[in-house]
Amino acid sequence: MFGIGEFFKKIQGTFAKEVLLRDAIRQAVLHQTGGDVPIHSISFKSDAIILSNVSQSLKSVVYIKKRSILKEIAEKQNIKVLNDIR
């Protein structure tokens, strides 16, 4: 049986992957659109990225450049396959 330290290391590793994934998304959106999305405004639902608390104009630009943003995200990380941005 593993100790409590091993349990917390596993949790910490999962959290670190989540932060790296959200940072890759933030950088891709910034590079492609010029708009900065806070990390706490990025969430996931299945294989889709959900942007909350961002302006409608930024959402429109993200929608227009969706394919190039998703391609850049896929190049930067291999943690999760993402197919849509909402």
Side-chain angles (χ1 to χ4, degrees):
M1 183 169 183
F2 295 110
I4 190 84
E6 292 297 319
F7 174 74
F8 284 122
K9 282 182 184 178
K10 185 176 179 182
I11 300 259
Q12 185 179 11
T14 303
F15 183 72
K17 287 180 185 177
E18 181 82 14
V19 170
L20 289 174
L21 180 60
R22 288 180 186 207
D23 189 52
I25 293 167
R26 186 188 66 77
Q27 289 177 2
V29 170
L30 181 63
H31 179 255
Q32 294 292 328
T33 66
D36 194 18
V37 178
I39 289 180
H40 61 82
S41 296
I42 301 170
S43 61
F44 305 100
K45 186 172 185 179
S46 187
D47 63 345
I49 302 166
I50 309 296
L51 300 177
S52 58
N53 299 327
V54 296
S55 68
Q56 188 60 41
S57 60
L58 180 59
K59 284 186 180 183
S60 297
V61 175
V62 166
Y63 178 77
I64 292 169
K65 298 187 176 198
K66 182 190 306 191
R67 292 292 157 210
S68 59
I69 293 171
L70 289 172
K71 182 179 177 185
E72 187 172 336
I73 291 169
E75 291 171 355
K76 287 185 176 185
Q77 58 87 28
N78 59 2
I79 298 169
K80 187 173 185 177
V81 177
L82 301 166
N83 295 321
D84 195 17
I85 302 176
R86 298 182 191 157

